[in-house]
Amino acid sequence: MPNNILNARLLWIQFEDVLAPRLGLTVWDRAVYSYLLRHSLVVGKLRLHFAVMSVARDLGLSNGPVRQAVRRLDELGALRLLERSKTGHLVEMRLPEQIRAVRPGKNGASRAVEEPPASALEATDFLQSWALRKTIHDRERGACFYCLRRTPANVQCLDHVVPRVRFGRNSYRNLVSCCIECNTRKNDRPARDFLRTLYRQGRLTPAELDARLRALKDLAAGKLRPV
């Protein structure tokens, strides 16, 4: 981190007027980013090692929202997660002006306006319109993500892999198209547990179970982008 003194006023304006709205940061994202920035770049440190539990305690939050916010900020490029271990997270923080999605282009316009960056996709709420919801259904090509049965359009549902009650987002990484039966039976259970239940009931073969578990990993990693 350069030893230059940060312009606090400019930093706050960039955060509130550009970064937060453009990346669609939630209240928890804002709180965690501000906290980590305060304890890193603002005091001259490029990298910060912290424990989720400590950040949650200082912010008056539970561990879940803080962990989700760190993951989301990493996906959006607001920080770079370098290491995650039992002792905590090691991250490299980025100022608003260093984040690709909000970096000015040659003519001074925002890069996010000139061309849709990857972070714009990450920040998109795929439940906000019929067209966006349809892209998730199209990605599964008419099959239930869980049981693999062909699913007519009139009985297709969108399911949160990580349930909303556990702070699952409306991201393409967390939404799948499935049948009504699987949507109802899975409820708030972890997706892995539900898939294993389908296997024990004979609804999935061993090969299909392995494929579904791999698909879950690919989904979380952002490899299953909507059509």
Side-chain angles (χ1 to χ4, degrees):
M1 171 65 190
N3 293 323
N4 297 336
I5 298 175
L6 294 177
N7 184 325
R9 179 175 178 274
L10 177 60
L11 176 60
W12 186 252
I13 291 174
Q14 289 176 330
F15 174 65
E16 286 293 332
D17 295 354
V18 181
L19 179 66
R22 184 142 304 142
L23 297 187
L25 300 185
T26 66
V27 173
W28 297 281
D29 297 336
R30 290 175 182 235
V32 172
Y33 177 77
S34 297
Y35 179 94
L36 298 180
L37 198 66
R38 155 69 181 83
H39 292 277
S40 58
L41 298 181
V42 171
V43 293
K45 296 193 299 183
L46 177 62
R47 296 180 177 181
L48 176 67
H49 187 272
F50 65 92
V52 167
M53 185 178 299
S54 297
V55 176
R57 183 183 62 244
D58 290 348
L59 293 176
L61 300 172
S62 57
N63 294 343
V66 173
R67 190 172 289 108
Q68 290 286 341
V70 172
R71 185 179 299 122
R72 178 170 158 81
L73 291 169
D74 178 48
E75 292 173 358
L76 295 174
L79 60 81
R80 182 184 173 203
L81 183 57
L82 301 174
E83 181 181 323
R84 182 170 54 193
S85 65
K86 293 182 179 179
T87 61
H89 293 64
L90 177 65
V91 299
E92 183 177 279
M93 295 301 298
R94 290 174 180 155
L95 294 168
E97 64 193 29
Q98 297 170 326
I99 298 171
R100 183 176 182 180
V102 296
R103 196 179 301 160
K106 293 180 180 180
N107 60 357
S110 164
R111 189 180 296 270
V113 174
E114 293 178 345
E115 58 186 49
S119 57
L121 177 65
E122 300 296 341
T124 299
D125 180 342
F126 277 82
L127 289 185
Q128 68 181 340
S129 72
W130 175 85
L132 287 170
R133 292 193 296 271
K134 186 176 183 298
T135 65
I136 301 297
H137 290 302
D138 290 345
R139 184 187 62 193
E140 303 341 333
R141 299 181 180 180
C144 173
F145 181 87
Y146 298 117
C147 70
L148 297 176
R149 289 188 304 179
R150 302 301 301 177
T151 310
N154 64 325
V155 292
Q156 288 176 341
C157 298
L158 288 184
D159 183 71
H160 290 83
V161 174
V162 178
R164 294 302 303 273
V165 296
R166 298 184 184 181
F167 304 100
R169 299 188 293 119
N170 297 336
S171 163
Y172 76 95
R173 296 178 185 236
N174 193 47
L175 288 171
V176 297
S177 178
C178 68
C179 64
I180 292 178
E181 182 182 353
C182 283
N183 180 267
T184 302
R185 294 178 60 201
K186 174 179 173 289
N187 200 8
D188 293 335
R189 279 192 288 171
R192 289 176 177 275
D193 292 350
F194 178 63
L195 287 171
R196 292 188 176 100
T197 297
L198 292 177
Y199 167 69
R200 288 193 296 270
Q201 294 174 344
R203 305 270 306 273
L204 292 175
T205 67
E208 288 172 337
L209 174 63
D210 288 343
R212 292 298 82 205
L213 293 176
R214 287 196 302 272
L216 276 181
K217 289 184 179 180
D218 290 342
L219 185 72
K223 295 180 180 179
L224 302 184
R225 296 191 172 192
V227 178

